[in-house]
Amino acid sequence: MKYFVGIDIGSISTKGVVIDENNNIVASEYIWTNASPIEASKKLINIFREKCSKEILDNIYAIGTTGSARKLIGKIIGATTIKNEITAHAVGTMSRCKDVSTIIEIGGQDSKIILIKNGVVIDYAMNTLCAAGTGAFLSSQAKRLGVEVEDIEKYYMMSKNPVKIAARCTVFAESDMIHKAQIGNKKEDLIAGLCNAVVENYTNNFVRGRNIEDKVVFQGGVSKNRGVVEAFKKKLNKEIYVDEASHLLGALGIAIIAKTEARDNKVELQLKDVEYNIRENECKGCSNGCEVLYIFEGEKLLDTIGNRCEKGGK
Amino acid sequence: MKIGIPNALFIREKIPMYVSFFKYNGIDSVVSTNTTLKTIEDGKEIATSEECIASKIFMGHIHELVNLYTNEYLDGILIPRIYKNGKNMEGCVKSLALYDIARATYPNVKFIDTNVDYSKNMTYFKSLINLGVTLGLNSKNSFLGAFYALEEQKKFEQRKYHEQFEKIDFKKKNILVIGNEYIVQDGYIKKLIISNLEDENNNVIYACINNGKSRYKNISNHLYFINGANILNGIEEYLPLTDACLFITGFPCATDSLINEMVKKRIKGIPYIELSVDENTSNTGIQTRIESFKDMIEGRRYV
């Protein structure tokens, strides 16, 4: 049996799966990135090395990376496939749910909508200028209210009269919420208002003019929050499906893509115990000032990212 | 005499005209270099923060030319003032204000203006003759120079159109890039977006380079801005040949805001995305979007 690894290094969390030839997940892990993707990947790989049997570790044929740190981690661990998260999420979702037409994805710092027809992505959109209405917003506001992120759904269910919170900008939403709290609204109503604001923000940004067709799948970290799921159901007036592995679908997708692009030689899943130094520099080759990322393995220059001509990367 | 011409905004597409006019009359012209990150950084500092990316780029080019002027390399900087460059439609109000903005920013620099206003029959031809008068040329030479300049401009546009037409390649996927000429053809934005898009499988063509026939009426009978009309003409001309469309907007753009819903409705059934660019746009965000756009065009099935 051949095995394939997919790693999704997001801004908030790092997800990894190991799949077999039939796309079954044989091992999975979800850990916090804590703004240090290299450390997180190291930890993730070590967990896999302990968790998986020798038979699996000896028969890995491809490793894929996706998420916002895909290029950096891909270069360090020698990934065979590096692909953007939109394609990865679409593939991951389609493998679990063949008849999906709309994917709603809300992660830590971005949110997106992906429309699928006949197994191919036909349209997508990603938030452009700010991170309003994403996981980072929810978790920081929950912290302000002294509520654990995991408890948001309980409060949502308890609320009978959700407050109205501005749905556009995180800063406005925050001052709105503080005001509503100061005039004595209940905590559960505030939290329900927050969940509604996330949904409102999402529909304002992405649904405009798009046809939301069945079946709608909701994924990304925020989909684990049933409060937001319920708010989406009400707003879109549609059944919303949340896969039990909804937080892993990006990693699953990239593992499947890596599988299709795999060659016949085995790869080793490991991260050398070396200090990796990253230095970001503005290239001085010309006045365009490309941002070039230099990756040092110990003292040795391993690779560069963002280099666009022969002048840079030195 | 040496005169500087900014390589930005509405002046960009008419550069061959001004250069040939000056050449005919024995005046040297200096066109500012292609936009780089430095141009944008300079422009950001000079322009007010609410202005659009294109105006900031423009101010960056003015900054470059002003530097040449203060080093006594130039005798003046040309900024035409364009009220109306079509019979029934308006141009963006920026085209009207540029000269005055530049003059207010640099009061000690000599800026040379010439008005274009089709509603008062002040065509490009007449505006060139007026420019000659301002510069103190003799009237016969400025008349002949204007004639020559318009001929050269026409030749240049035709050449550009033919080059693009020959570039269309049905062995590749043809991606139609929609947007104002000064945005999609700008040196920096080209490097940021188009260089990521164009490769061995994908071929880029521009809607702004078209044969000028008024095809926009198929989409909307009446349009307010002439820039919008030009973009829609291009879409109508190239849409049957394209596999995907990308709309690039400079943030914030008034003229684009009036047509992007129309464009979205017109382009159905092929991959289509909108990208808005401002001076803070980072490379990473653009790359993720372009990569997934390419995946969408490829339409490969993994499961």
Side-chain angles (χ1 to χ4, degrees), chain A residues 69-83:
Chain A
R70 62 182 180 278
K71 284 191 181 146
L72 173 68
I73 302 302
K75 297 239 158 142
I76 291 178
I77 65 175
T80 49
T81 301
I82 302 174
K83 247 213 160 54

Side-chain angles (χ1 to χ4, degrees), chain B residues 2-276:
Chain B
K2 268 188 180 161
I3 291 178
I5 306 172
N7 188 9
L9 265 170
F10 311 96
I11 304 162
R12 246 192 85 96
E13 48 187 357
K14 296 287 180 196
I15 283 179
M17 179 177 88
Y18 291 116
V19 170
S20 350
F21 178 75
F22 290 141
K23 197 173 126 199
Y24 191 87
N25 288 294
I27 299 170
D28 284 336
S29 46
V30 178
V31 180
S32 58
T33 52
N34 265 336
T35 311
T36 61
L37 189 68
K38 193 181 169 295
T39 320
I40 296 184
E41 294 288 324
D42 290 342
K44 211 158 81 178
E45 273 179 31
I46 307 158
T48 50
S49 59
E50 288 84 11
E51 277 188 83
C52 69
I53 173 88
S55 316
K56 284 176 182 162
I57 291 176
F58 178 82
M59 289 313 281
H61 283 275
I62 293 294
H63 176 82
E64 185 188 330
L65 292 172
V66 166
N67 271 347
L68 292 177
Y69 179 85
T70 44
N71 291 329
E72 298 188 350
Y73 188 72
L74 289 180
D75 299 293
I77 298 167
L78 173 78
I79 307 178
R81 201 196 264 121
I82 302 162
Y83 285 96
K84 249 186 174 186
N85 53 357
K87 286 207 178 68
N88 306 315
M89 281 176 275
E90 305 277 330
C92 171
V93 284
K94 280 274 152 58
S95 58
L96 205 154
L98 291 176
Y99 170 77
D100 301 278
I101 293 172
R103 218 180 50 162
T105 319
Y106 296 104
N108 300 322
V109 176
K110 191 184 171 198
F111 289 105
I112 302 159
D113 71 333
T114 170
N115 292 355
V116 177
D117 187 353
Y118 272 71
S119 66
K120 290 196 183 122
N121 216 6
M122 181 57 80
T123 57
Y124 274 106
F125 184 70
K126 283 188 186 165
S127 91
L128 283 177
I129 295 175
N130 277 355
L131 178 63
V133 172
T134 322
L135 294 172
L137 306 172
N138 88 36
S139 53
K140 186 187 161 207
N141 276 352
S142 41
F143 181 82
L144 291 173
F147 212 74
Y148 171 70
L150 285 178
E151 276 298 299
E152 287 297 303
Q153 176 68 26
K154 206 171 159 190
K155 270 188 215 158
F156 170 76
E157 278 169 13
Q158 278 172 352
R159 199 168 62 233
K160 229 166 49 165
Y161 176 70
H162 281 293
E163 267 170 23
Q164 162 146 308
F165 211 82
E166 267 160 35
K167 214 182 135 203
I168 298 174
D169 182 356
F170 290 110
K171 288 188 196 100
K172 292 182 179 181
K173 300 272 186 189
N174 292 308
I175 302 169
L176 184 65
V177 171
I178 303 162
N180 285 314
E181 198 266 354
Y182 53 84
I183 290 288
V184 297
Q185 298 270 55
D186 180 84
Y188 180 73
I189 294 171
K190 246 183 163 171
K191 195 154 191 164
L192 188 73
I193 299 175
I194 311 289
S195 68
N196 287 323
L197 192 59
E198 203 158 31
D199 58 18
E200 64 273 12
N201 301 323
N202 300 306
N203 187 19
V204 169
I205 49 178
Y206 299 95
C208 59
I209 305 173
N210 54 55
N211 65 2
K213 283 197 185 129
S214 298
R215 299 172 203 242
Y216 67 86
K217 288 185 178 144
N218 293 349
I219 299 178
S220 167
N221 254 331
H222 182 75
L223 288 171
Y224 190 74
F225 287 120
I226 195 157
N227 325 26
N230 183 34
I231 293 175
L232 296 189
N233 287 344
I235 294 175
E236 281 298 311
E237 180 171 348
Y238 294 115
L239 202 55
L241 313 173
T242 48
D243 301 288
C245 295
L246 169 68
F247 198 142
I248 307 176
T249 310
F251 178 84
C253 183
T255 60
D256 283 353
S257 71
L258 293 188
I259 58 160
N260 62 10
E261 285 299 318
M262 284 180 205
V263 172
K264 199 190 280 175
K265 284 193 183 118
R266 178 70 182 86
I267 300 168
K268 274 258 158 80
I270 56 172
Y272 169 67
I273 61 165
E274 283 170 28
L275 280 182
S276 85

